[in-house]
Amino acid sequence: MTLPGLMMRAAGAAIFSAVLLTAALAQAPLKIFDAHLHYNQEPNPFYDLDKVLEIFRRNNVTGIIATSRPNKGTHQLVDAKAPGLTVVPFIRPYRTRSDIQTWFDDPAIWDLIQSEYKRGYYRGIGEGHIYGKAAAGEQVKRIVNFAVEKDLWLHMHCDEEALLLLLGHNPKVRIIWAHTGFSTSPQRVRELMDKYPALMGELSYRGGITEGGGKLSPTWRALFASHSNRFLIGSDTWINERWFSYDGIMKTYREWLAELPQDQARRIAHENAERLFGGKIE
Ligand SMILES: [Zn+2]
C-alpha cells in the first residue's frame, strides 16, 4: 500500500473508533450511587460479598453509603476494595435489630460509635431511627455535636419533629434525611431545604414521586427542577427481600430519572453523593 493509502486507512480507523466511543458514551447507563444501603448480617448476610458486588456491577452502581447491622458487613465492603466501587462507610448505631428502639439513649451505643470511629475511615453515622421528642435527648445532642466536630454526616430516618430537634442541636449538623419524610408534602420539603442548606433528601420509599403509569408527578418534577442538587437515591436493603428486588428498585429509579433533564438526573443519580463525599473517599 502507498503511504497516502496507509494514512487514509489510519485516519479512517481513528474516525471509526471515535464514532464507536461516542456511541458507547451515549448508551452507557447512568451511574448510580446507592445512598441507603445495608449489608446486614445476623449472623450471616443474605448474599455473600461476591454476590453483592456482582449486583452493584450489573446495576452500574459505582458508589454506596455502606452501613450494616452489626458493622461487620461495612468492614467487609471497605476491605473488599472492589474496583469501580466507591465505598463511603457510615457507623451504624445498632448491633442487633432491637437497638433501633433504644440506641439514642443507650450508653453502650455511644461507646460503639466511639470505638467504630477509631477505624478512621467513617464519613457518617446512621441510618438511625428517631421520632418526635426522643431526638431532644442528651445522648442525641452529644452524637450530633460529635458528628459536627468530626466532620461526619448523619443519616436519619425521622419524622419532621425529630428532624427539627436534630437540626436545632447544632447549626452546623449535616443530615441525610432517609426517605425524605416518606409523605411530608413536597412544599414542606422545599421549605426545609431552603431553610437548612446542609439538609439532603434520600428518596427510597418516598411516596408521591410518580403517579399513574409511573410518570413523574408535576410537583416532584418542579421540586427536582429547583433542588436537583439536594436529593440522593438508595436501595434501603433493610430486609432480604430488598436484595432480590434490587434490580427492579434501580430500574424504577432509572425510569423516572429518564424523564428529567440529563443534568438533573445525573445529580440525583450520583453527582450529589460524589460532591458530598468527594476528596476524602476511601
Ligand atoms: Zn434503611
Side-chain angles (χ1 to χ4, degrees):
M1 192 180 280
T2 61
L3 187 58
L6 264 177
M7 284 170 71
M8 275 180 66
R9 202 159 140 180
I15 290 166
F16 182 64
S17 346
V19 168
L20 275 186
L21 183 65
T22 314
L25 285 175
Q27 284 164 15
L30 197 56
K31 289 197 288 177
I32 284 181
F33 189 107
D34 184 342
H36 191 149
L37 190 280
H38 306 295
Y39 187 39
N40 291 335
Q41 317 202 352
E42 291 172 325
N44 297 309
F46 182 61
Y47 285 141
D48 66 25
L49 192 60
D50 284 347
K51 172 87 175 164
V52 164
L53 296 175
E54 155 57 21
I55 290 172
F56 296 147
R57 266 194 303 275
R58 73 173 182 239
N59 284 284
N60 206 25
V61 168
T62 56
I64 55 172
I65 287 180
T67 81
S68 71
R69 191 182 64 230
N71 285 288
K72 180 174 139 229
T74 299
H75 308 159
Q76 291 172 346
L77 285 163
V78 170
D79 293 343
K81 299 196 186 328
L85 183 73
T86 298
V87 175
V88 177
F90 275 34
I91 302 169
R92 196 91 208 263
Y94 307 154
R95 300 154 299 184
T96 60
R97 191 164 168 74
S98 61
D99 284 333
I100 292 177
Q101 317 293 336
T102 51
W103 69 279
F104 42 86
D105 60 6
D106 178 352
I109 298 299
W110 171 257
D111 294 344
L112 168 77
I113 292 170
Q114 300 304 302
S115 67
E116 278 300 314
Y117 179 74
K118 293 198 176 84
R119 288 177 183 271
Y121 51 55
Y122 284 105
R123 305 296 308 278
I125 301 169
E127 178 198 20
H129 297 70
I130 195 145
Y131 305 97
K133 297 193 175 28
E138 260 320 296
Q139 178 157 302
V140 176
K141 184 169 186 176
R142 217 170 155 204
I143 291 171
V144 167
N145 287 332
F146 179 74
V148 171
E149 183 197 331
K150 302 298 184 188
D151 202 17
L152 299 169
W153 282 83
L154 293 181
H155 193 214
M156 290 290 136
H157 173 138
C158 56
D159 55 14
E160 190 182 324
E161 185 180 8
L163 180 72
L164 293 172
L165 286 164
L166 291 166
L167 291 161
H169 285 315
N170 189 317
K172 291 192 179 143
V173 67
R174 295 181 298 168
I175 297 179
I176 296 170
W177 193 10
H179 319 294
T180 315
F182 288 103
S183 59
T184 308
S185 80
Q187 180 51 40
R188 184 62 184 145
V189 171
R190 177 189 293 273
E191 285 168 12
L192 289 166
M193 288 187 162
D194 289 344
K195 182 157 183 205
Y196 300 101
L199 177 65
M200 298 292 292
E202 183 276 324
L203 295 170
S204 59
Y205 289 103
R206 171 62 227 199
I209 298 174
T210 55
E211 45 188 32
K215 293 281 169 211
L216 268 179
S217 75
T219 340
W220 278 89
R221 188 186 290 278
L223 186 54
F224 290 145
S226 55
H227 291 68
S228 63
N229 59 339
R230 306 295 293 279
F231 290 98
L232 307 163
I233 55 175
S235 58
D236 192 8
T237 46
W238 66 289
I239 44 171
N240 296 340
E241 286 71 20
R242 298 289 282 183
W243 279 112
F244 53 77
S245 55
Y246 195 97
D247 295 3
I249 294 166
M250 292 304 157
K251 183 168 172 280
T252 305
Y253 278 128
R254 288 180 187 286
E255 280 165 4
W256 64 251
L257 285 167
E259 289 184 55
L260 290 173
Q262 278 187 20
D263 58 338
Q264 294 175 26
R266 277 199 307 268
R267 278 183 210 119
I268 297 168
H270 64 95
E271 286 178 357
N272 290 338
E274 291 163 0
R275 184 185 78 238
L276 302 187
F277 304 113
K280 282 171 69 183
I281 290 174
E282 292 300 311

